[in-house]
Amino acid sequence: MNDAIGVDDILEHIERLRHGETLTTERASAVLDAYRSGRLADYQLTAWLATLAGRGLRFAEIVDLTRAYLGPARGEGAVPRDGRTVVDKHSTGGVGDKTTLIVVPLVAALGVRVCKLSGRGLGIAGGTIDKLESVPGLKLEFTASELATRLAADDIVIGSFSGALVPGDTATYDLRSVSGCVRSAPLIAASIVSKKVAVNADAVVFDVRYGAGALLADRESARRLAGLLVRLGGAFGLRCRAVLSDGSVPLGTAVGNAAEIDEAIGFLRGTGDRRLRAECEALAVEMVRVSEPDEPEQRIRERLRSAIDSGAALSMLVRMLEAQGGDTGPVLGGGGYCRPKARTSVRAQGTGWITDISSLDIGRAALKLGAGKVSADDVIDPHAGIRLTRHLGEHVAEGDVIAEVFHDGRDSGDAVALVSRAFSIGRQEDCRVPGEPEPVSEGDVHPQETGMVHV
Ligand code: URA
């Protein structure tokens, strides 16, 4: 029953959901269609999303919501099944998470075919599409058949989610981001998996990040979400694996859109920091594994290293950017994409070891600078961001520069204060030790079989 839904119906539907009525694809599609055709206001759709987030959804309802997010096309017409494995990858997001920009060209350089549909920033976590929009001219919106054409030509494409590919996810995404509905596991799962089904890839690797700067508070919630993602992907015929990663400390040294692209390019030139390298390697290994199940892990790691050492991974990134119409001058000329109008140094407030760097404070600072959206109609500044010049576990003296804030020259005081607050300085033995990335597969996760799924 995809009957038209109006204002009175949505209120009654929300009331019924609260009393336990089952959400079906038909009902969810009716709500989403009503919103997209202007019959429901933002606040009514937000109330619906908040109801789903608060009440939780049963697994069958999450499958139905994912179908509704996909809309009538249901992923048909995207990547054709031609017997050659196509892999996608998706992160739940975190502060400084630029892994897609690294692992997609890296595994493509090993011959893995990658078709990736990405999202934008959610809350304090940046999004791949916001980052890639820092590359002038880069085309990111594709129809399903354009995605297929790009993949056939180059075996690598990154595109944006859009109303044409995942109408329901696109309609709800920004509203979730600005209304406190981003941490609901069922909504995250439907949002991510709908994008993967829209691509019609064979296999997906999910990067599920946890900690104060990520959507999931702790490792156990991340493990439960990984289980849900793997099970939901499986319900749509996808072979899925997941990696759990610690997002409590920013990943790498750059936070902000263009700044993260530049860091990813530096990584592909061989200059990545240890944690970023460990996380990218863990994800890349899983992406190669789902494509080449018989290849031993040690051999995969050797091939990944030689793709960086030989420059093949960087060439693959340049090829993708060029093929999608992007200006590659800043990569080839070495100048980079991040050109902020102004930079402010942040100095250590004491002498000692850097015992912690709070993702939450760094993420909030990046939002204040305009690197992400606080309200749905905010405009992102691609050059806004932060570069951490000193790292967790390093010794600093009072007054040393520990970070640089990139801004537009106006009113960056609050952001600078947040960056300063993000650094804890103390005794060496109190330094935080972030968890190592942990690969999990279907056998390792314990998806909830019945009952409501919450955060
Ligand atoms: N990425 C998405 O695409 N959706 C979410 O809800 C979270 C991360």
Side-chain angles (χ1 to χ4, degrees), residues 372-439:
K373 291 184 177 189
V374 179
S375 56
D377 44 12
D378 281 351
V379 177
I380 289 180
D381 174 358
H383 305 288
I386 297 141
R387 193 163 68 86
L388 310 174
T389 52
R390 304 300 294 269
H391 309 292
L392 190 64
E394 279 184 24
H395 187 269
V396 291
E398 187 171 351
D400 283 355
V401 175
I402 49 177
E404 261 192 309
V405 171
F406 304 149
H407 55 96
D408 63 4
R410 290 176 297 170
D411 201 18
S412 59
D414 287 356
V416 170
L418 274 168
V419 173
S420 176
R421 192 178 86 178
F423 282 80
S424 303
I425 295 173
R427 298 180 313 166
Q428 189 172 23
E429 55 271 38
D430 294 333
C431 289
R432 178 191 277 278
V433 182
E436 290 297 318
E438 180 189 338

Side-chain angles (χ1 to χ4, degrees), residues 71-378:
R74 304 269 149 83
E76 289 156 24
V79 176
R81 297 258 183 247
D82 62 3
R84 293 174 64 209
T85 302
V86 174
V87 182
D88 195 347
K89 168 261 171 207
H90 206 93
S91 165
T92 54
V95 177
D97 177 5
K98 70 276 298 170
T99 53
T100 289
L101 305 168
I102 295 168
V103 298
V104 167
L106 178 54
V107 302
L110 268 57
V112 174
R113 302 172 79 210
V114 193
C115 182
K116 158 113 183 75
L117 208 58
S118 283
R120 295 188 179 277
L122 267 183
I124 61 167
T128 300
I129 295 305
D130 297 332
K131 296 174 213 237
L132 283 171
E133 280 181 350
S134 319
V135 177
L138 192 69
K139 176 175 162 68
L140 291 163
E141 279 222 9
F142 295 102
T143 62
S145 68
E146 285 171 336
L147 277 178
T149 306
R150 284 259 35 84
L151 186 70
D154 282 324
D155 283 350
I156 177 172
V157 56
I158 300 181
S160 170
F161 75 134
S162 65
L165 293 167
V166 262
D169 180 43
T170 308
T172 49
Y173 202 85
D174 278 358
L175 289 181
R176 286 176 54 223
S177 180
V178 295
S179 67
C181 294
V182 288
R183 290 177 191 269
S184 152
L187 296 186
I188 296 172
S191 165
I192 292 181
V193 172
S194 62
K195 285 191 270 289
K196 309 300 101 178
V197 178
V199 159
N200 201 25
D202 303 275
V204 186
V205 175
F206 301 110
D207 181 11
V208 186
R209 305 185 69 76
Y210 61 88
L215 295 186
L216 283 304
D218 51 56
R219 203 176 179 103
E220 270 328 294
S221 318
R223 192 180 300 281
R224 281 200 299 277
L225 179 61
L228 178 59
L229 286 164
V230 167
R231 187 172 174 217
L232 187 61
F236 286 91
L238 296 165
R239 294 201 309 277
C240 301
R241 299 182 71 91
V243 175
L244 309 182
S245 30
D246 187 343
S248 50
V249 176
L251 189 57
T253 57
V255 176
N257 298 302
E260 291 188 41
I261 302 255
D262 290 346
E263 186 179 8
I265 292 164
F267 184 100
L268 295 175
R269 288 204 164 98
T271 61
D273 85 357
R274 195 204 69 79
R275 262 186 72 228
L276 183 58
R277 202 167 337 114
E279 295 209 7
C280 288
E281 238 183 75
L283 289 166
V285 163
E286 296 307 311
M287 289 175 81
V288 179
R289 244 186 197 158
V290 287
S291 184
E292 303 172 23
D294 297 331
E295 185 76 333
E297 182 175 332
Q298 190 49 37
R299 174 82 193 112
I300 298 174
R301 287 186 187 273
E302 285 161 15
R303 286 168 62 202
L304 291 171
R305 272 179 222 128
S306 88
I308 292 182
D309 294 345
S310 67
L314 182 63
S315 301
M316 188 55 84
L317 177 69
V318 171
R319 183 157 126 200
M320 185 195 84
L321 295 177
E322 268 169 3
Q324 295 186 204
D327 174 7
T328 51
V331 190
L332 303 171
Y337 292 96
C338 185
R339 296 178 183 185
K341 286 200 183 116
R343 296 166 191 251
T344 300
S345 298
V346 180
R347 293 178 185 278
Q349 298 295 307
T351 296
W353 276 264
I354 299 177
T355 55
D356 205 355
I357 305 176
S358 156
S359 271
L360 199 57
D361 285 335
I362 296 287
R364 284 183 180 146
L367 274 186
K368 278 199 182 293
L369 293 165
K373 291 184 177 189
V374 179
S375 56
D377 44 12
D378 281 351

